[in-house]
Amino acid sequence: MTRTVDTAVPAGDAILRRQRIRESAARTYARSFPIVPVRANGMTVEGADGRRYLDCLSGAGTLALGHNHPVVLEAIRRTLDSGAPLHLLDLATAEKDDFTTALFASLPREFAAGARVHFCGPAGTDAVEAALKLMQTATGRRGALAFTGAYHGMTAGALAVTGSVAVKSPLPAGGEVTRLPYPYPYRCPFGVGERGAELSAAYIERLLDDPSGGVVPPAAMILEAVQGEGGVVPAPDGWLREMRRITAERGIPLIVDEVQTGVGRTGAMWAVEHSGVLPDAMVLSKAIGGSLPLAVVVYREQYDGWQPGAHTGTFRGNTLAMAAGAATLRYVAAHGLVARADLLGARMTARLDGLKSRVAAVGDVRGRGLMIGIELVDPAGEPDSCGALPPDPALAVRVRQACLERGLIVELGGRHDAVLRLLPPLTISDEQTEAVLDRLCDAIGSAAARSGR
C-alpha cells in the first residue's frame, strides 16, 4: 500500500496539527504560542515559517543565558567528548563534584558554610517535595505554612502548598496546609495597600500563638521571595525578615523556593539575598541546569536526618545538566550579569511606569531585576478599597497575541491571568531591551485602544 504524503500543508502547520491531535489537553504554552521553533540563539527564536521572535519567556526563567549560549554548548560538548557516563543515579562523578563546588560558591556564604545538598528528580516540584519531606522528618510534624498566590509545582505535596484553586479543586486534598496572606500591595488581602505587609506579619504571629487558632505546629513554612506565577509580586524585604524572625522563634524551618528567582534573575544571585535572610532550606531548579533538567534542595546540615533512600529519583544524576549548570553559574558571576539584571530591570520598569501614566489599562508595574509584571485592568470597572481596578484577562490575551504578531513572546500569569510577565535572559543586550519595550508598549497601546481602554 502506497502512503500518501500531505505536501499541501507547510511542515510547521502539519506539526501543530499533529500536536493538537496527539498531545494531552493539559498542554499550556503550546496553546498560547502556535509556532514551531526550529532554531534559537540568545533570546531570538526562529519558527518553521521563518519568522523571528524575541523570547521573554526563557523557558519560564530556565534560560539564564538564553538559548544555546556558547559557554553552555561548550560544557555539553566537552562532557560528551570526554566519554563521561551520562546517567549514574547518585554516584559521585567529577561533573557532580564540580557543579556542587560552583553551586556552593554562589550561595550566601554563611548558609553555604553549614549546608548539605540533595539531588532530586529533574523538576523543581520534586525538590519542593524533598524539602517538605526533609522538614517533616526533622521535626516529626506534618503540616506546612504556605501563602496565597504561591506556586510550588504540580506533584501532590507541592500542589498542596500551591495557591491556585483552579488546579487544586478537581483533586483530593493534598495535606494539612495553613494558608497565610502574602503581601500584595496592589490587591492587598487586607485592603490597606502597602500596610498589608505589616498586618500580614502581625496576623501570622498571632495566629501561630493562638491556642485556639487551629494551627497545629507545622513542619515548615515555604515561601517565594518574588511570586512568579502568582503575578510577579515581590515580598518586601522587611516582611521577609519578619517571617524569618517568626519562624526562628517558634522552631519552624523556613524553606525559600528559588526555582524561578535564582541565578541572578532578580538582581541578586538568589532573591532571598535582597533581605539578608538566611533560610533553613532553598529549593533550586530551572536556571541551575544551564537549560537542562536539574533540581536540588540545599539545607542546613542540622536537618539531615534522612535514612538512605528516603528521597530518590532515577534521573537525579544528569551529568550533562551538571556540566551546563556549573558553566552557567560561573558565567553569571564572572560577567556581572547579576548587577546587569538589576540595572536593566530598573530601566525597563521605569519606561513601563511611563506607559502606565498614559494607558489607563495598565494598572500596576512591578517586579525585581529581570522578573517584571504588568497587570492589566478594566478602567471602566469599579475600584476596590485600595483603588485597584478589576483585572482584565481578556485584554491580557489580546496583548499577548499582539506581542506575538510583533515578534515578541511574553506569557501571562497572576491571580486572574491578567499579568504580562517578562523573563528575558540575563544576556539581553541594550538594543534588544529597547526592541522588547518598543514592541510591548505598542502591543499594549494598540490592544487597549481597540478595546476602548
Side-chain angles (χ1 to χ4, degrees), residues 1-57:
M1 180 178 177
T2 302
R3 185 174 182 181
T4 302
V5 178
D6 184 359
T7 57
V9 181
D13 289 345
I15 290 171
L16 290 172
R17 185 187 62 194
R18 288 193 292 270
Q19 182 184 47
R20 288 193 295 270
I21 293 171
R22 299 191 295 203
E23 290 192 23
S24 84
R27 66 189 188 281
T28 54
Y29 298 111
R31 296 179 186 273
S32 305
F33 309 108
I35 60 177
V36 178
V38 293
R39 277 174 291 276
N41 181 265
M43 73 175 299
T44 302
V45 173
E46 183 179 337
D49 60 359
R51 292 199 63 197
R52 293 187 175 185
Y53 304 86
L54 292 176
D55 182 6
C56 277
L57 179 57

Side-chain angles (χ1 to χ4, degrees), residues 221-236:
M221 172 187 283
I222 183 168
L223 58 79
E224 300 156 274
V226 182
Q227 289 189 341
E229 304 299 325
V232 194
V233 184

